[in-house]
Amino acid sequence: MSKAHFGLVGLGVMGENLVLNAERNGFSSVVYNRTFSKTESFLSGRGAGKSISGARDLKEFVDSLERPRRILLMVKAGGATDNVINQIAPLLEEGDLLIDGGNALFSDTERRVKELESKSFGYIGMGVSGGAKGALEGPSMMPGGTKASYDAVEALLSKMAAQVEDGPCVTYIGPGGSGHFVKTVHNGIEYGIEQILAEAYDLMKRTCGMNCDAIADVFRHWNATEELCSYLVEITEICLRTKDPIDGSDVVEKIMDKAGQKGTGLWTVISALELGASVPTIYASLNARVMSSMKSQRTKAQSILKEPSAFSFDLGDISTGMSPVMDAVVLSTIASYAQGMDLLLLASKEYEYDFHMPSIAQIWKGGCIIRSKLLKRIQNAYNNDNQLSNLLVDPWFASQVQRRLPGLSKVVSCAAQAGIPVPCFSSTLDYINSYRTARLPQNLVQAMRDCFGSHTYERVDKEGSFHTNWLD
Ligand code: 6PG
């Protein structure tokens, strides 16, 4: 029997769709799942009639693959990934390649690359984005590891990836855990944009009394603009229009207002804190999920901490979409990307990942959850300057800030008067206002630190380190 071109371990939603994608692109496949019954039901269901076979154990799996073997692991991040690697590693031979396509912590991938590359087979840590549909039709893929390992799977990944006008949505990201780092930051931006769109929905509902269909119309309008045309805006419209088949009411209004998380947004914020990147919009989205989970406390507090009694709200003609709310959404979305890209640049220096920023923007233009028209502008900005200090100072993005800052300010101040939380909008406003302020009040913070702890300070009028006897 001829050997398969490609092997997949882990028949979860993503694994199933990725193996169907590989097979459709001409790579006969073999699959292995810890429980064989799952393999059987896949092979008799979606995998039926295709060049896909199943293996009962890892030995049979490895033996069914042509050499060098190309094996994609789609198992739970953390201990489960280590377990599978420990079981499969002794069966692999020189030149074989393991690809971890889960949402792994980048430092775990760093460790695995070091351990496994020394055993003479290749290891790639690859971020995969796009959900089930993306995995099947073409995801965005962010592979990191040695360049030689990437070269060995480039043909396979290029065929499987989403295609945009300037090529497939996959590229060699860099060494070690860089692929998973980029995917983590992708998810941080994803958290930001999700929360931004939720804040816009909340404002339209609570201040203008708009129902889900009317709000969906605004999202549809936004999706037709260059600034907001994106996958997340598109699916937000769909979510808002979807009705409960039982009673025809809006499904969204029946969903409990508690958002969970699997860790990548948290890792983005932890990395930002460690590297000294300023990511307030992304952090606000993470904190909004944390706050949302405190449902019973919030419910109790609502009866104690009353909202402002009367407020007026003038947000322009929201029904056309071209209102201050759109300004707030555009600038906060830009801020999420800007903060994520800034974090990538810092990581590139600190971990010697040597990111090619335009390529990262390019592979996010299709397939992934944060795909949007803005990414073309982001790609252009970094093509003009790969070390651009911040997207906000690129001429096109600066003109957006110039034009939309009054709208964002209005939304944040109106929301504050109405007592409506807009964490991403208000963090973005502070972020932009801080970033464009040449002199911040940290001179006084420095004075306090020096006063109580002799921490010293720098001066604006001469070089050196200074201390004042403040309390004498
Ligand atoms: C993607 C997504 C995906 C992620 C989910 C869940 O790019 O396809 O980022 O990888 O796991 O969106 O993330 P949370 O449960 O943390 O929201």
Side-chain angles (χ1 to χ4, degrees):
M1 208 178 84
S2 67
K3 305 234 173 189
H5 300 310
F6 171 68
L8 173 100
V9 177
L11 278 172
V13 178
M14 292 296 281
E16 243 187 61
N17 285 295
L18 284 166
V19 77
L20 290 169
N21 177 337
E23 195 271 349
R24 189 185 69 242
N25 281 296
F27 296 88
S28 60
S29 305
V30 53
V31 296
Y32 168 78
N33 196 71
R34 199 161 42 92
T35 47
F36 188 63
S37 55
K38 185 132 195 214
T39 305
E40 287 178 312
S41 65
F42 171 68
L43 293 176
S44 59
R46 295 179 78 201
K50 303 201 155 52
S51 294
I52 304 178
S53 60
R56 279 181 185 274
D57 57 46
L58 281 173
K59 171 95 177 56
E60 185 191 339
F61 173 76
V62 166
D63 287 344
S64 332
L65 282 162
E66 69 176 16
R67 293 199 53 209
R69 301 179 178 91
R70 289 169 290 206
I71 300 170
L72 177 61
L73 306 181
M74 291 304 296
V75 295
K76 208 165 176 289
T81 303
D82 282 322
N83 284 343
V84 175
I85 292 171
N86 291 339
Q87 288 167 35
I88 205 168
L91 306 172
L92 299 181
E93 295 168 271
E94 181 135 16
D96 289 349
L97 256 159
L98 268 187
I99 309 170
D100 173 13
N103 272 332
L105 181 61
F106 83 104
S107 50
D108 281 350
T109 306
E110 291 285 342
R111 165 179 58 81
R112 290 175 188 139
V113 168
K114 277 196 194 94
E115 280 170 18
L116 298 172
E117 288 278 349
S118 64
K119 291 186 176 149
S120 82
F121 57 86
Y123 188 82
I124 290 181
M126 181 169 80
V128 179
S129 177
K133 197 161 182 281
L136 179 66
E137 292 172 4
S140 171
M141 296 190 272
M142 297 149 245
T146 65
K147 180 71 170 60
S149 295
Y150 174 73
D151 289 343
V153 288
E154 186 179 17
L156 167 77
L157 299 182
S158 298
K159 282 203 172 141
M160 288 177 71
Q163 310 291 323
V164 288
E165 79 281 4
D166 48 357
C169 293
V170 62
T171 190
Y172 174 61
I173 295 288
S178 61
H180 278 136
F181 190 87
V182 170
K183 176 59 175 31
T184 297
V185 174
H186 165 286
N187 282 25
I189 297 170
E190 173 185 305
Y191 277 42
I193 299 173
E194 288 168 351
Q195 172 66 22
I196 288 159
L197 301 180
E199 288 175 22
Y201 144 81
D202 201 31
L203 277 180
M204 288 187 256
K205 181 168 88 168
R206 292 177 61 184
T207 66
C208 308
M210 291 163 71
N211 65 23
C212 283
D213 283 315
I215 301 171
D217 289 342
V218 174
F219 277 85
R220 185 175 53 201
H221 177 86
W222 287 349
N223 201 33
T225 63
E226 180 190 1
E227 293 90 332
L228 290 179
C229 179
S230 62
Y231 173 70
L232 283 169
V233 169
E234 180 191 322
I235 63 163
T236 305
E237 184 198 342
I238 295 170
C239 294
L240 287 165
R241 289 205 197 280
T242 303
K243 307 292 176 221
D244 186 332
I246 310 275
D247 61 10
S249 65
D250 299 315
V251 177
V252 161
E253 297 306 336
K254 293 201 166 150
I255 297 178
M256 177 65 76
D257 52 329
K258 287 163 77 170
Q261 51 169 310
K262 298 200 188 74
T264 43
L266 175 68
W267 299 340
T268 304
V269 172
I270 291 173
S271 289
L273 293 172
E274 282 172 355
L275 291 168
S278 177
V279 296
T281 308
I282 293 174
Y283 172 67
S285 67
L286 178 73
N287 190 57
R289 292 196 188 189
V290 173
M291 182 59 87
S292 80
S293 69
M294 297 158 59
K295 176 75 175 173
S296 57
Q297 284 191 56
R298 288 189 288 113
T299 306
K300 188 168 172 208
Q302 183 169 329
S303 60
I304 303 169
L305 309 168
K306 305 271 191 238
E307 65 181 16
S309 46
F311 63 89
S312 65
F313 224 93
D314 173 20
L315 289 179
D317 185 3
I318 292 189
S319 61
T320 64
M322 309 302 269
S323 72
V325 181
M326 179 173 172
D327 295 330
V329 172
V330 172
L331 288 189
S332 303
T333 302
I334 288 174
S336 295
Y337 284 115
Q339 292 164 22
M341 297 315 261
D342 186 27
L343 174 54
L344 288 181
L345 271 178
L346 286 169
S348 184
K349 287 188 197 108
E350 180 68 22
Y351 305 132
E352 297 179 2
Y353 285 156
D354 198 19
F355 289 142
H356 185 246
M357 302 298 282
S359 299
I360 294 175
Q362 192 269 334
I363 64 163
W364 285 351
K365 285 196 303 188
C368 70
I369 304 297
I370 62 167
R371 62 184 185 260
S372 68
K373 275 210 174 139
L374 270 185
L375 280 157
K376 174 82 186 144
R377 293 283 183 181
I378 297 174
Q379 187 183 6
N380 291 345
Y382 287 104
N383 262 329
N384 293 337
D385 178 1
N386 189 45
Q387 296 299 312
L388 182 69
S389 57
N390 191 302
L391 264 188
L392 298 181
V393 294
D394 165 84
W396 187 84
F397 288 97
S399 71
Q400 289 288 321
V401 173
Q402 228 33 52
R403 194 174 129 206
R404 299 184 183 278
L405 199 53
L408 170 64
S409 308
K410 186 169 185 179
V411 166
V412 172
S413 66
C414 285
Q417 283 170 43
I420 297 173
V422 284
C424 279
F425 293 162
S426 56
S427 301
T428 299
L429 183 61
D430 279 334
Y431 173 71
I432 295 174
N433 279 335
S434 298
Y435 193 70
R436 64 177 189 83
T437 299
R439 183 157 171 85
L440 289 168
Q442 271 59 38
N443 49 329
L444 184 56
V445 172
Q446 288 294 76
M448 288 180 241
R449 293 177 64 234
D450 190 53
C451 177
F452 64 69
S454 301
H455 292 292
T456 73
Y457 54 87
E458 287 176 273
R459 294 176 63 112
V460 294
D461 54 351
K462 48 189 171 185
E463 293 280 308
S465 176
F466 299 88
H467 169 64
T468 295
N469 290 322
W470 304 92
L471 303 175
D472 283 352

